[in-house]
Amino acid sequence: MSSPIQQAQSAPATSAPALAPERPVVWPRRTVRTLANGLQVVLAESRAFPKITAQLYFRGGNAAVALKNPGLAEMTSAVVRTGTTSRTSRQIEEDLRRIGAGLGAHAGADSSSISAAGLAEFSGELLELIADLARNATFPQEEFEREQRQRYEELKIERTTPGFLAGERLRRVLFGPHPYAIVAPTLEQVEAYTRDQLVEFYKRYYVPTDSLLIVVGDFSAAAMMEQVEKIFGGWSAPKPEGQKSTEPPRASGRRVYLVDRPGTVQTQVLAGNVAVTRRDPDWFRAVLANSIYGGAFHSRLVMNIREQKGYTYSPRSSLNALREYGYFSVSAAVRNEVAAATLTEIFYEMDRMRSLPVSADELESARNYLTGVFSLGVATQDGLVGQLSIVYLDRLPEDYLESYRQRISALSAEDVLAAARRHFDSANAQIVMVGDRAQIGEQAALFGAVTAYDAQGKEIR
Amino acid sequence: MTKLSKHLHIPVEHTTLSNGLRVVASPDRSAPFVTVGVYYQIGFRLEPRGRSGFAHLFEHMMFQGSENAGKMEHIRLINSSGGLLNGTTNYDLTNYFEAVPSNALERVLWLEADRMRALKVDDENLRNQRDVVKEEVRVNVMNQPYGGFPWLDLPPVAFRNWPNAHNFYGDFADLDAATLGDVRHFFRTYYAPNNAVLVMLGDLDPAEAFKLAKRHFEKIPAAPPPPRADTSEPPQESERHGEVSETLGPLPAIAIGYTMPSRESPDWYAAGIVERVMHGGRAGRVFRKLVLEEQIAVDADGSADLLDTNGPTQMVSRIFHKPEFTSEGAVAIYDEIIDEMQRKGIPSDELEPVKVKFRSDFYSMLEGGMGSYMPRFGLMHYLACFTLFDGDPDRVNTVLDGFLNVTPGQAQAFAQKYLVPKNRAVLFRRPPAQRTPGAPLVGGAR
């Protein structure tokens, strides 16, 4: 033991002060209405700053077209902001700046969205701009070509990024024939996009029916609802057809997928298995188990491979919920010599979660952590929009926010054990390693049959 | 002067304890959480020579335990109170911060006071965190495309004085050379209450919060004021150039840095506005010209750390361009933007919208500023910076006026005086193999 480096003598309190009585969390009141055109509108007042944050979601994302045109939803969202029937690309950007707003248009696996945040005093103009992009985008050919080339170059950069390569490979492995398997296009697929494909996607999915508008900010909900009605009420379009889904494969036994990047100084490790969605009755149990395993700074995995062994800076496990399926994953970027040792510890901690109940202290800590952090997460407009989008996009129970804390607090060590056994599928985990095959190939082979790929996703021998 | 920032008033109260610790409180009782930060006026600029990266390594050591809260206890106590914590090392400051439900306020203060009073670390902790920091450097710099671009690349080109010009993340040899003796010395020199500010905001009563601060911090003795490194730069005579090779990413990248006027000088406000005319996304002149109009670049943006630095700092433009163009050619087009601004100034129908966006971005920073997970990080950060560097946390309520009152004349004068070759550094980050010039990959030529 070392002696403390004292600033000098003084007599401090030697143990942590007890927590004061908790102040109740007041959940933001929501106003929810579905307009005649099928657009669901969710409003929440958040008045600490004179700002407004709005996000319009469509229930069609990259997965809807992944088997035919990977990444087409993302490409569509990139071009959506470059022109409408009444505004040029430059006007859109200047209008945004004039009202102090920033705009984002993106597509994930399950949805596409247009979001904007700016000053509350310009809320009408901000919503009108979102509506204009959603209804009247013109996809100018030259803007499309420029954005296409940009996407091409961005993709080249992504394919040199270890985290991207690992995530891409794991999704392929876990989801097989399901569209969730494909997170990004190839360079050739980007080159093959046409403007017409974007327009078709836009016409089909950028419609009010079944879509969701969330507005959070410094406004009164009643007046805002009126404004929203006025701006979005007259919009109508047919509802897109539903998709038929394929089941992801059932993994049997560990396998290793090595993405070879000669000469790199670090190995990105990522392992995982198909798990649950937020609608699954097991969701909260799995969330708590994940938090104890590797989902928080004080978790077992961080203690082990960072704070005791110094293998890595940023170990992390997470439960990733997509709309139809979810998956559990654990990642760490480690020096090459300890790639196998890291996997050994990853599985050791997983198996420990599956073998023994967590201690009462650990359970209590993790429950407090999750419930506290959940309340912090809705304390910014951005965070609140994010939480609300989870509730309404996934069609979770209306009291999801309000009941989250109670549901987590009611869980026991047995719940955690059961969730770990069911959802941390250590024996059948699929393992991705991104690194220099010459340095880590032998270590990889310790964990199962190895298939190797290059950074473009081509299998190599 | 017009008072344009009347829209938002942040309540600010502050006091100084007898040991010199400055304490700032800002109540907002709308939600039951508090954000707490302890800021020390020591950043990587001031770390000792031969110990590059030490300020950051030391920041890691502050999580390794103190007299009454051993290794991992800080983290466990904050997390199990329902809160988040982190720390960052900057040019002129190092901060440690927590966001927690408000019933944990005193616990947070106790923990922060314990490590300010008596850090307790050993050789094993030091070895462990040295390994962790090396992996941090590998994951963020050595194994990332454009890792460290341009925050690690540009200073050695732009500056001549070691405090401004060295490797802030640290050479591995210097990290290896760090000893527990260095840790002790650094702690005693810089981590005294009179070199720090404590910020508490959110669901609290300022009088009550000051009482708690006094209870936990006031007995920590002051230390002699730490030496201030001389961060002044010798006058620059001509444009500076540097080149770094990019080993992973496929595109050539360029960083162009102009050294900014000193903090709170009249030109400093003009700098803040002109920087947003240049950058700030797709409406910015740099993006418009290089990405949209000339289509040389794939991405182009930039920034300047004006509010949270207190020494030589640069406005930096970052450009990633298509491989069929030369970096020199891209800079020539960039220079047209500068030239036009110097000759014609910035019309008020461009300047006024930039100011609206500036105000909006300032509020967003106050509200979040570190992603949505750490509410009010920006408010805490600015309150601390205005206290440490300007001695007045209430600047958070007035600083906007200085920026919003910049006139077209001042903006043009700034551009003419500061955006000149002998005030800038240009850095090329080049991939080893660039494609043949003139061969488009997609687009019109297909």
Side-chain angles (χ1 to χ4, degrees):
Chain A
M1 289 291 280
S2 65
S3 56
I5 315 164
Q6 296 253 7
Q7 294 293 6
Q9 292 308 312
S10 56
T14 53
S15 64
L19 296 177
E22 211 176 356
R23 280 231 303 141
V25 177
V26 182
W27 297 101
R29 280 227 343 259
R30 273 121 48 208
T31 307
V32 183
R33 185 182 303 168
T34 301
L35 306 187
N37 60 11
L39 176 68
Q40 187 179 30
V41 181
V42 179
L43 307 179
E45 295 178 17
S46 162
R47 314 200 70 158
F49 292 86
K51 283 185 54 206
I52 175 177
T53 303
Q55 192 149 2
L56 176 60
Y57 297 88
F58 304 106
R59 283 193 169 79
N62 287 304
V65 281
L67 300 179
K68 247 175 43 198
N69 287 117
L72 186 67
E74 181 64 25
M75 191 73 237
T76 304
S77 64
V79 186
V80 117
R81 71 181 297 165
T82 63
T84 71
T85 46
S86 61
R87 299 179 223 231
T88 64
S89 172
R90 180 165 174 163
Q91 273 169 321
I92 290 167
E93 302 306 329
E94 288 183 350
D95 286 348
L96 280 165
R97 190 162 65 178
R98 191 173 44 75
I99 63 172
L103 183 109
H106 294 288
D110 297 311
S111 63
S112 297
S113 76
I114 302 172
S115 64
L119 293 168
E121 64 207 73
F122 300 109
S123 60
E125 282 157 280
L126 181 133
L127 292 172
E128 273 161 15
L129 183 54
I130 292 178
D132 194 26
L133 297 178
R135 301 175 65 171
N136 308 315
T138 49
F139 297 85
Q141 179 67 27
E142 66 276 20
E143 299 279 352
F144 159 67
E145 283 174 15
R146 187 181 42 70
E147 291 290 341
Q148 180 187 31
R149 173 64 194 273
Q150 266 172 256
R151 182 70 193 107
Y152 183 94
E153 299 295 345
E154 282 163 16
L155 190 63
K156 282 202 293 184
I157 296 176
E158 285 176 352
R159 295 205 174 283
T160 66
T161 308
F164 171 86
L165 292 170
E168 178 185 54
R169 181 53 46 194
L170 185 68
R171 287 274 283 265
R172 283 241 177 232
V173 169
L174 293 184
F175 289 102
H178 190 279
Y180 288 162
I182 302 162
V183 299
T186 62
L187 292 171
E188 294 72 28
Q189 285 164 336
V190 172
E191 284 186 286
Y193 289 150
T194 65
R195 178 186 171 274
D196 288 349
Q197 291 171 337
L198 271 62
V199 171
E200 192 190 321
F201 184 91
Y202 178 72
K203 282 194 177 144
R204 180 155 174 195
Y205 291 104
Y206 284 57
V207 296
T209 319
D210 228 16
S211 295
L212 171 68
L213 174 68
I214 299 176
V215 192
V216 169
D218 186 10
F219 52 70
S220 96
M224 178 54 67
M225 189 59 88
E226 231 172 87
Q227 200 166 29
V228 166
E229 282 260 26
K230 213 187 301 168
I231 296 170
F232 291 90
W235 174 27
S236 67
K239 179 185 165 137
E241 286 160 39
Q243 296 272 316
K244 278 199 206 79
S245 178
T246 339
E247 253 186 71
R250 189 177 290 266
S252 142
R254 286 180 192 163
R255 288 187 58 95
V256 184
Y257 303 85
L258 196 160
V259 181
D260 187 23
R261 298 176 77 235
T264 49
V265 296
Q266 198 177 44
T267 300
Q268 177 71 50
V269 173
L270 177 67
N273 55 264
V274 172
V276 281
T277 69
R278 285 199 177 79
R279 300 182 59 81
D280 193 289
D282 252 10
W283 174 255
F284 291 97
R285 284 190 279 270
V287 164
L288 184 60
N290 175 62
S291 166
I292 295 170
Y293 170 69
F297 203 162
H298 69 293
S299 63
R300 291 178 173 189
L301 188 71
V302 178
M303 276 292 278
N304 180 340
I305 64 176
R306 174 177 154 134
E307 292 298 318
Q308 284 162 17
K309 302 203 171 65
Y311 290 167
T312 178
Y313 169 62
S314 47
R316 193 84 189 156
S317 73
S318 46
L319 273 176
N320 314 280
L322 302 168
R323 191 174 305 149
E324 286 182 51
Y325 295 95
Y327 61 104
F328 167 72
S329 65
V330 48
S331 70
V334 303
R335 58 181 184 276
N336 295 331
E337 310 88 87
V338 297
T342 298
L343 279 165
T344 298
E345 300 302 329
I346 282 174
F347 291 124
Y348 164 74
E349 295 294 358
M350 236 186 246
D351 292 338
R352 200 154 70 93
M353 292 288 301
R354 293 161 55 87
S355 312
L356 292 167
V358 297
S359 72
D361 270 2
E362 257 182 318
L363 179 72
E364 174 75 7
S365 284
R367 290 190 309 206
N368 288 347
Y369 172 71
L370 286 174
T371 56
V373 166
F374 187 78
S375 329
L376 293 174
V378 298
T380 56
Q381 292 188 5
D382 213 32
L384 183 53
V385 169
Q387 286 298 334
L388 291 174
S389 74
I390 287 170
V391 178
Y392 292 92
L393 277 177
D394 277 2
R395 298 196 167 93
L396 301 176
E398 282 273 338
D399 67 345
Y400 178 86
L401 294 184
E402 289 79 1
S403 65
Y404 182 96
R405 293 166 58 96
Q406 293 91 293
R407 299 190 69 157
I408 291 288
S409 299
L411 298 176
S412 66
E414 290 71 42
D415 287 317
V416 172
L417 188 66
R421 286 183 179 169
R422 217 168 295 154
H423 306 299
F424 298 174
D425 194 1
S426 150
N428 301 305
Q430 302 301 297
I431 302 163
V432 177
M433 298 166 84
V434 180
D436 183 352
R437 180 157 65 152
Q439 293 186 62
I440 60 168
E442 275 182 40
Q443 297 181 66
L446 297 171
F447 294 88
V450 179
T451 316
Y453 301 85
D454 67 14
Q456 302 308 316
K458 224 178 76 192
E459 195 173 325
I460 51 178
R461 300 177 58 84
Chain B
M1 276 206 359
T2 37
K3 278 286 275 178
L4 292 157
S5 49
K6 60 181 183 291
H7 306 276
L8 180 67
H9 181 80
I10 304 284
V12 179
E13 294 187 31
H14 58 104
T15 185
T16 303
L17 304 188
S18 62
N19 58 5
L21 179 69
R22 287 151 288 179
V23 184
V24 182
S26 175
D28 167 8
R29 323 250 5 194
S30 60
F33 69 87
V34 289
T35 304
V36 176
V38 176
Y39 279 62
Y40 297 91
Q41 195 163 354
I42 169 67
F44 38 60
R45 222 196 286 269
L46 305 183
E47 61 201 3
R49 287 176 198 234
R51 291 288 182 273
S52 66
F54 191 78
H56 170 245
L57 175 61
F58 184 87
E59 176 223 306
H60 278 242
M61 298 307 290
M62 283 290 277
F63 292 86
Q64 291 298 300
S66 53
E67 188 175 29
N68 295 298
K71 177 160 170 140
M72 283 310 279
E73 274 296 284
H74 282 249
I75 294 157
R76 195 188 63 80
L77 280 167
I78 298 298
N79 279 174
S80 68
S81 306
L84 296 164
L85 74 166
N86 212 335
T88 71
T89 311
N90 301 248
Y91 293 89
D92 301 300
L93 61 84
T94 305
N95 60 6
Y96 303 87
F97 48 90
E98 295 84 14
V100 291
S102 46
N103 65 331
L105 174 61
E106 184 169 11
R107 179 174 282 190
V108 170
L109 297 180
W110 177 80
L111 279 168
E112 286 295 359
D114 204 54
R115 65 177 163 184
M116 183 187 289
R117 189 182 54 77
L119 185 66
K120 190 174 179 186
V121 290
D122 56 26
D123 274 313
E124 194 185 323
N125 299 149
L126 180 59
R127 273 197 301 276
N128 167 251
Q129 288 306 306
R130 189 189 286 140
D131 284 345
V132 170
V133 166
K134 285 183 184 173
E135 291 316 305
E136 180 179 349
V137 175
R138 288 193 178 105
V139 77
N140 286 338
V141 182
M142 299 161 78
N143 203 31
Q144 278 303 317
Y146 312 101
F149 173 81
W151 76 279
L152 294 176
D153 298 335
L154 199 53
V157 179
F159 296 124
R160 291 290 175 270
N161 188 5
W162 190 87
N164 306 320
H166 69 281
N167 176 1
F168 304 135
Y169 238 154
D171 300 325
F172 280 14
D174 282 1
L175 294 175
D176 286 337
T179 66
L180 209 54
D182 294 329
V183 172
R184 289 174 200 277
H185 183 70
F186 199 76
F187 180 70
R188 291 209 178 99
T189 308
Y190 294 109
Y191 278 70
N194 48 316
N195 196 43
V197 55
L198 164 68
V199 180
M200 300 173 281
L201 51 98
D203 182 28
L204 51 79
D205 167 57
E208 190 62 32
F210 287 157
K211 221 187 290 171
L212 290 175
K214 212 170 144 116
R215 180 185 304 161
H216 292 285
F217 287 90
E218 197 159 45
K219 286 194 186 132
I220 304 170
R228 291 274 168 247
D230 175 11
T231 60
S232 64
E233 281 288 319
Q236 183 176 343
E237 305 297 341
S238 60
E239 183 168 292
R240 290 170 179 166
H241 293 269
E243 196 162 321
V244 172
S245 74
E246 169 59 38
T247 55
L248 300 170
L251 297 182
I254 307 167
I256 302 170
Y258 291 96
T259 301
M260 292 288 96
S262 59
R263 190 177 178 85
E264 298 275 0
S265 66
D267 282 335
W268 184 72
Y269 295 100
I273 293 297
V274 171
E275 189 274 315
R276 292 285 91 187
V277 171
M278 299 274 292
H279 308 127
R282 298 164 69 102
R285 287 192 177 196
V286 172
F287 188 94
R288 180 185 294 165
K289 181 94 170 174
L290 287 159
V291 180
L292 299 179
E293 290 172 7
E294 304 290 337
Q295 303 194 17
I296 289 172
V298 170
D299 194 17
D301 207 345
S303 58
D305 296 324
L306 293 179
L307 291 171
D308 60 358
T309 53
N310 192 34
T313 189
Q314 289 201 311
M315 173 182 93
V316 181
S317 299
R318 301 176 291 272
I319 299 160
F320 294 82
H321 68 83
K322 298 174 183 172
E324 65 265 29
F325 296 99
T326 65
S327 294
E328 291 79 0
V331 173
I333 301 294
Y334 178 92
D335 285 341
E336 291 176 14
I337 303 169
I338 302 290
D339 182 61
E340 190 189 339
M341 199 179 292
Q342 289 169 337
R343 278 188 298 108
K344 298 188 188 162
I346 302 156
S348 51
D349 66 356
E350 184 175 356
L351 209 58
E352 292 313 309
V354 165
K355 289 180 188 173
V356 176
K357 187 67 166 45
F358 194 97
R359 178 160 58 96
S360 180
D361 289 345
F362 185 73
Y363 296 157
S364 296
M365 174 68 186
L366 296 182
E367 193 208 18
M370 235 214 180
S372 55
Y373 78 95
M374 187 66 76
R376 314 294 185 265
F377 172 87
L379 175 57
M380 168 193 79
H381 191 59
Y382 285 165
L383 287 171
C385 290
F386 291 131
T387 307
L388 284 177
F389 303 144
D390 310 311
D392 180 12
D394 205 46
R395 292 288 290 136
V396 78
N397 284 312
T398 55
V399 74
L400 257 186
D401 293 323
F403 292 104
L404 302 185
N405 283 314
V406 170
T407 64
Q410 287 166 335
Q412 186 172 13
F414 164 81
Q416 289 168 348
K417 186 169 162 196
Y418 283 89
L419 305 187
V420 294
K422 60 177 262 186
N423 192 42
R424 83 171 176 179
V426 178
L427 177 104
F428 293 155
R429 184 132 169 180
R430 292 195 204 264
Q434 287 180 30
R435 292 179 64 110
T436 325
L441 298 165
V442 293
R446 272 198 331 278

